[in-house]
Amino acid sequence: MVNVQVYVTLKEGVLDPQGSTIENALQTMGYHEVASVQTGKYIELEIEEGNDLEARIEEMCEKLLSNPVIEDYTYTIGKGVS
Amino acid sequence: MVNVQVYVTLKEGVLDPQGSTIENALQTMGYHEVASVQTGKYIELEIEEGNDLEARIEEMCEKLLSNPVIEDYTYTIGKGVS
């Protein structure tokens, strides 16, 4: 079993109203040092090791986990952040 | 300016219907190697450097970015994943 972390973020230029809302809220709460906020998705997968692991992860990202029209993805294998 | 990456995940035992849905969809699409899926949030902040950077990030996470009753957070400073 390998642990795979997928990070999905909005492409440059795509509006991020959730990020703007968080940014405004942090400013209102007194965190004036916050200059910008971008939101995204974090997805952790447990996958049985096999052939073509990276190719299959990329396929999953493109077909289901992200929307390639407006989102970018990156992934790391084997070292969880949590 | 430092770049801060915050990862918010559900605590152990908290139901993750979005994760289950993705897992079922991947199985249906033929990715039988996927054993489990957990979803979370990924938030990227640009912050002006100052005193107590880590303490202030933790405060933001606890007060706004995560719900400490059902969610855990981790963060990394200075190295973006995207």
Side-chain angles (χ1 to χ4, degrees):
Chain A
M1 283 287 184
V2 288
N3 193 273
V4 177
Q5 294 80 44
V6 177
Y7 312 93
V8 179
T9 50
L10 290 169
K11 280 188 200 284
E12 282 265 335
V14 178
L15 283 180
D16 180 6
Q18 193 186 4
S20 313
T21 305
I22 294 174
E23 190 181 324
N24 291 338
L26 287 172
Q27 293 282 346
T28 308
M29 290 164 76
Y31 298 104
H32 303 295
E33 70 266 45
V34 176
S36 85
V37 179
Q38 299 268 317
T39 59
K41 285 180 283 184
Y42 170 68
I43 303 156
E44 218 173 83
L45 308 161
E46 288 281 329
I47 301 184
E48 277 170 50
E49 277 172 271
N51 293 331
D52 303 321
L53 178 65
E54 301 204 358
R56 286 180 70 88
I57 293 169
E58 284 165 29
E59 243 181 52
M60 291 182 218
C61 288
E62 274 157 40
K63 287 192 189 164
L64 185 78
L65 303 180
S66 77
N67 174 353
V69 178
I70 56 164
E71 291 173 330
D72 287 323
Y73 66 86
T74 53
Y75 62 91
T76 53
I77 298 177
K79 43 183 170 69
V81 294
S82 57
Chain B
M1 282 288 184
V2 287
N3 193 274
V4 177
Q5 294 79 44
V6 177
Y7 311 92
V8 179
T9 49
L10 290 168
K11 280 187 201 284
E12 282 263 336
V14 177
L15 284 180
D16 180 5
Q18 193 185 5
S20 313
T21 304
I22 293 173
E23 190 181 324
N24 292 339
L26 287 172
Q27 293 282 344
T28 308
M29 290 164 74
Y31 299 103
H32 303 296
E33 70 266 44
V34 176
S36 84
V37 179
Q38 300 268 317
T39 58
K41 284 179 285 183
Y42 171 67
I43 303 156
E44 217 172 84
L45 308 161
E46 288 279 330
I47 301 184
E48 276 170 51
E49 276 170 273
N51 292 333
D52 303 321
L53 178 65
E54 301 205 358
R56 287 180 70 88
I57 293 169
E58 283 165 28
E59 244 181 54
M60 291 182 219
C61 288
E62 273 157 40
K63 287 190 187 166
L64 185 78
L65 303 180
S66 77
N67 174 353
V69 178
I70 56 165
E71 291 172 328
D72 287 322
Y73 65 87
T74 53
Y75 62 91
T76 53
I77 298 176
K79 43 183 172 70
V81 293
S82 55

